């Protein structure tokens, strides 16, 4: 429990507005039912996150993609309009 509290209270050090993760992701939604294997870098963009979220898709990156292996779209504010600026992603490395 102490570990989870520490994570939820963590604040980024690379932005001016330093909100705790718990507050920043309070209205966030993760929604996917399957993974799609991609063949190029086009999915490593927020525009692709909107499409993935609408389709319920997460992504397995192309072979030899640098740094990340999977991408899971995240809608940051469930009550706002679904658009590119309201999306983020969980980036996963399993190498």
């Amino acid at each position: 429990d102490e570990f989870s509290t520490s994570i939820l209270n963590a604040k980024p050090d690379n932005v001016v507005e330093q909100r705790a993760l718990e507050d920043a992701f309070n209205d966030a939604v993760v929604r996917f039912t399957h993974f799609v294997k991609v063949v190029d870098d086009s999915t490593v963009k927020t525009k692709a996150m909107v499409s993935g979220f609408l389709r319920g898709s997460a992504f397995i990156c192309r072979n030899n993609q640098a740094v990340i292996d999977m991408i899971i779209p995240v809608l940051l504010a469930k009550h706002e309009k679904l658009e590119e600026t309201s999306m983020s992603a969980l980036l996963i490395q399993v190498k």
Side-chain angles (χ1 to χ4, degrees):
D1 191 45
E2 182 180 326
F3 179 73
S4 61
T5 301
S6 174
I7 296 295
L8 290 172
N9 290 329
K11 295 180 180 178
D13 59 3
N14 62 342
V15 294
V16 176
E17 183 185 335
Q18 293 188 342
R19 298 184 335 178
L21 286 176
E22 183 174 27
D23 297 330
F25 290 94
N26 190 42
D27 288 329
V29 177
V30 173
R31 175 186 173 268
F32 69 99
T33 59
H34 60 286
F35 282 90
V36 174
K37 174 76 173 179
V38 298
V39 295
D40 59 30
D41 292 336
S42 64
T43 53
V44 190
K45 298 179 178 15
T46 52
K47 187 173 185 176
M49 296 305 105
V50 173
S51 298
F53 189 85
L54 287 171
R55 292 185 178 111
S57 302
F59 304 100
I60 298 173
C61 296
R62 67 173 172 81
N63 293 343
N64 301 314
Q65 171 75 39
V67 183
I68 57 173
D69 298 308
M70 290 182 268
I71 304 171
I72 300 173
V74 177
L75 176 62
L76 293 174
K78 62 185 172 189
H79 300 295
E80 291 184 17
K81 182 178 177 182
L82 179 59
E83 56 190 359
E84 207 172 332
T85 58
S86 63
M87 297 302 298
S88 186
L90 298 171
L91 306 177
I92 301 168
Q93 182 181 57
V94 292
K95 297 176 184 175

